[in-house]
Amino acid sequence: MLARFRRDLASHTIVLKDLTPLGARIESVGPLEIDEVIALTLPECRPMIAFVAWTNGNGAGLEFVHPLPDDLFAELVSQYGLTSEDPARA
């Protein structure tokens, strides 16, 4: 899924590769620092504050300050998530 990533005054569209209620893995970002604070905006959601937990060049793992509510997480997964039946996962 595509999401919006904001740090300082710069905002970019990024690729969200993995999502859990506690955090996310993102790609298509420049260099980040561990513990850096960013804002992540998921589709049809308000911006969420997250910390960079790890980084590996063009990607990073984020930890949300506040976990995603169960109903919001379930809705995002049903709309944007891949299942084992998706050809992209084969």
Side-chain angles (χ1 to χ4, degrees), residues 28-42:
S28 304
V29 296
L32 296 172
E33 298 290 327
I34 292 178
D35 292 332
E36 184 174 352
V37 178
I38 62 96
L40 183 69
T41 306
L42 302 172

Side-chain angles (χ1 to χ4, degrees), residues 12-42:
H12 307 279
T13 299
I14 53 98
V15 179
L16 187 80
K17 298 298 278 187
D18 193 12
L19 179 68
T20 72
L22 301 176
R25 180 171 58 105
I26 60 174
E27 289 187 0
S28 304
V29 296
L32 296 172
E33 298 290 327
I34 292 178
D35 292 332
E36 184 174 352
V37 178
I38 62 96
L40 183 69
T41 306
L42 302 172

Side-chain angles (χ1 to χ4, degrees), residues 3-75:
R4 296 293 296 170
F5 170 85
R6 183 179 180 101
R7 70 194 280 210
D8 300 324
L9 299 175
S11 180
H12 307 279
T13 299
I14 53 98
V15 179
L16 187 80
K17 298 298 278 187
D18 193 12
L19 179 68
T20 72
L22 301 176
R25 180 171 58 105
I26 60 174
E27 289 187 0
S28 304
V29 296
L32 296 172
E33 298 290 327
I34 292 178
D35 292 332
E36 184 174 352
V37 178
I38 62 96
L40 183 69
T41 306
L42 302 172
E44 301 177 38
C45 296
R46 299 174 79 191
M48 302 173 11
I49 303 300
F51 290 94
V52 176
W54 57 265
T55 182
N56 67 355
N58 199 35
L62 305 178
E63 181 179 350
F64 300 138
V65 170
H66 301 287
L68 289 174
D70 291 338
D71 57 338
L72 174 58
F73 177 71
E75 182 178 333

